[in-house]
Amino acid sequence: MPDHEILTAEAHRDMRVRTDRAVELGDAVMCCMTVPSEFRRVQTDYPILFRLNHDRDTFTALAMFGFEQDENLFLDNGRWDARYVPLAIDIQPFLIGTPADDAGAKQIHIDMASPRIGGDEGVRLFDEDGRPTPYLESIADQLGALDAGYQASGDFFAALRRHDLLEPFALEITLDDGSTNRLVGFHIIDEGRLQALDADALGELHAEDHLMHIFMALASLGNLSELIARKNRRVGDG
């Protein structure tokens, strides 16, 4: 179970966090949340799919790492085999919190139950004088970017729904060994409907800074073939 605490120099001065990659550190995940402001970097390596939360009637963007639960095809012998690690992965075990009264600055929290808290291993969060290390300063920047991107994503998804630009997506692949893998329950950008939009609609999407994010999400689908190739290599290696 998560055990979140507000990060302070007084309580966590000597704490270290492991930044290597391993199944036992929680990196065996099929996907993670991503935000539109991050799509340009995410699409260099990962397919971006969208999933509808039926209870909340809201969409989430996901960077895909595999085809099965707990499968991460980018995890390779203690390293992440990609040019970019999505923010939602790279910030762990940290998260951003809001004061109980919703007033004042947001705070950095840390999950004390995370296996990344390394004892004598890992990177320090504070120096001997209690000042944030460059690593912690970088984490703070990433948390801020992820939070700002998340806050802005509501407008992006509202625009997609307003123009009916999301369509259900399912993928079934037959691997080299004859086994079948499926991705079901996702959505993608409807490219045909996007191409059919008139100039006014496209101008609106551009003015609202959504059009480039849409193009990045579409471009990311080219990574599905590489994800399949990674799966075939993993299966072939046993």
Side-chain angles (χ1 to χ4, degrees), residues 97-107 109:
T98 303
D101 58 4
D102 290 329
K106 294 186 176 181
Q107 305 154 322
H109 290 220

Side-chain angles (χ1 to χ4, degrees), residues 149-186:
Y150 178 77
Q151 298 302 323
S153 65
D155 290 341
F156 175 74
F157 287 117
L160 295 186
R161 300 184 89 165
R162 185 166 63 249
H163 295 287
D164 197 18
L165 289 176
L166 288 168
E167 65 171 338
F169 172 77
L171 176 68
E172 181 172 311
I173 60 170
T174 300
L175 299 174
D176 292 346
D177 68 350
S179 63
T180 299
N181 274 228
R182 297 178 180 87
L183 285 176
V184 295
F186 297 96

